[in-house]
């Protein structure tokens, strides 16, 4: 696709790509120590596996690597309710019998279990997204990566879909302190319902989700769900069926995102890169390769707009780590070899020990006509988008003060190639289902 095929505005954005991007990377090794419980498909350990690939590929040498500054309870309250955050902070597996009513009220149970260190876990993954957004606001980076983030299902007062604190929403709220318009893009196989719900009535944020729709969690995200009130036409949903492949996905993603960039003109982008849309995912039903998934990242980066790049779903963890390591290389414009470098999780990647995965021969149930008709409907909606009005005010009621961005300070610089002691390695015992 040549520049001539895009509108003048989009073409001018693409031409502003001169020079290397300043890419920052937020990672806290403690995250990989948390465990949702026996048999649960969500495994924070996947972020540590991705990190090891980023290190052994040598990509960290081109990144500004940071351990995020820990957020406080007041930071979480920028979106979540007091009673919900207090519940997450106070409740443990040992005292949960005292909070049976709250467990039901806040939807903490089977899908979203209460496990040891839950509150600290939430603060760790959220710190990278809020801190990354603040770094973009201060113009210290062009791209910030936080693979531990992207937990897009959490609601204001409710856990949902393995998500407790919605770091996507909190990161976007941080970006709104500087930027008039923020675009949220979601390529997770599940609809980004928590983020859409949070901004459904405002034109300050546009949400765009490409997801499996139908008899599938969370069951939301119809093409007709376009927002409400001032937020009408600021919610974009592309509902899909089983078997989406690279060619079909790229052919819908690029035109829709180009139209959004043309009509909405965001000042910053939050890109959720859930890897459960890859072929062979334990819970997914799409058939994307790393190259197809990564093409979305490459295309979003090409507009030259500040990007907060976060993780999300992904339940075949050897492929999740492959995906996020590869997309780190995409953000760095650095080619990496297909043969995986040796690392402490090398045995997970057998029998081929290659970076790229092969899609299956599953049928794509998204017909060309269905995709073209849905794309046409969305593009027609986007023509009705109006430019947003007033600057968001997140200060005290009755004031016109926009709060300052949270202080990034100087986050503790990570040492990604630092060797780990044998004692610490022995303490990291993965459950057999990690394989």
């Amino acid at each position: 696709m040549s520049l001539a095929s895009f509108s003048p505005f989009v073409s001018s954005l693409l031409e502003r790509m001169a020079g290397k991007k300043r890419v920052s990377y937020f990672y806290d090794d403690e995250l990989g120590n948390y465990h949702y419980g026996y048999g649960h498909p969500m495994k924070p350990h996947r972020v540590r596996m991705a990190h090891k690939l980023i290190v052994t590929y040598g990509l960290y040498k081109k990144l500004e690597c940071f351990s995020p500054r820990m957020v406080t309870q007041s930071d979480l309250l920028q979106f979540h309710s007091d009673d919900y955050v207090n519940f997450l902070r106070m409740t443990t597996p040992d005292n949960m019998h005292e909070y049976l009513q709250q467990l039901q009220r806040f939807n903490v149970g089977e899908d979203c279990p209460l496990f040891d260190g839950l509150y600290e876990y939430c603060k760790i993954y959220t710190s990278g997204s809020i801190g990354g957004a603040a770094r973009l606001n201060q113009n210290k980076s062009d791209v910030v990566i936080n693979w531990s983030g992207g937990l897009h299902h959490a609601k204001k007062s409710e856990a949902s879909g393995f998500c407790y604190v919605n770091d996507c929403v909190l990161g976007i709220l941080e970006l709104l302190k500087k930027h008039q318009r923020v675009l949220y893009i979601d390529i997770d196989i599940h609809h980004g319902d928590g983020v859409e719900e949070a901004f459904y009535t405002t034109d300050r944020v546009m949400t765009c989700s490409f997801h499996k729709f139908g008899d599938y969690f969370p069951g939301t995200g119809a093409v007709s769900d376009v927002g409400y009130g001032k937020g009408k036409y600021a919610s974009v949903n592309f509902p899909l069926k089983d078997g989406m492949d690279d060619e079909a996905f790229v052919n819908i993603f690029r035109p829709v995102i180009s139209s959004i960039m043309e009509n909405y003109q965001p000042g910053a982008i939050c890109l959720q890169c859930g890897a459960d849309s890859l072929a062979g995912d334990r819970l997914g039903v799409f058939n994307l390769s790393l190259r197809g998934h990564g093409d979305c990242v490459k295309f979003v980066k090409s507009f030259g707009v500040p990007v907060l790049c976060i993780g999300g779903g992904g339940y075949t963890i050897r492929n999740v780590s492959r995906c996020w390591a590869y997309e780190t290389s995409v953000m760095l414009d650095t080619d990496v070899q297909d043969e995986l470098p040796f690392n402490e999780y090398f045995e997970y990647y057998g029998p081929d020990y290659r970076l790229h995965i092969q899609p299956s021969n599953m049928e794509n149930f998204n017909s060309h006509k269905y995709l073209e008709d849905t794309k046409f409907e969305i593009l027609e909606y986007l023509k009705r988008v109006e430019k947003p009005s007033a600057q968001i005010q997140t200060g005290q009621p009755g004031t016109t003060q926009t709060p300052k961005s949270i202080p990034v300070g100087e986050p503790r610089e990570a040492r990604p190639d630092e060797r780990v002691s044998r004692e610490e390695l022995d303490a990291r015992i993965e459950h057999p289902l990690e394989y």
Side-chain angles (χ1 to χ4, degrees), residues 100-112:
L100 297 179
Q101 185 177 355
Q102 289 93 330
L103 286 167
Q104 185 175 8
R105 175 187 171 192
F106 298 128
N107 195 36
V108 174
E110 187 174 351
D111 278 355
C112 302

Side-chain angles (χ1 to χ4, degrees), residues 206-266:
M206 176 172 281
T207 61
C208 178
S209 180
F210 300 81
H211 52 270
K212 158 74 175 170
F213 184 71
D215 185 19
Y216 200 74
F217 182 86
T220 51
V223 69
S224 57
D225 295 337
V226 297
Y228 181 79
K230 285 188 175 181
K232 192 171 185 180
Y233 305 122
S235 292
V236 178
N237 287 293
F238 207 123
L240 299 164
K241 304 172 186 178
D242 292 12
M244 277 298 291
D245 56 33
D246 290 354
E247 182 180 4
F249 203 84
V250 169
N251 285 341
I252 61 170
F253 184 85
R254 288 190 167 221
V256 169
I257 298 303
S258 295
S259 180
I260 290 173
M261 297 301 292
E262 168 70 25
N263 292 288
Y264 191 66
Q265 299 179 22

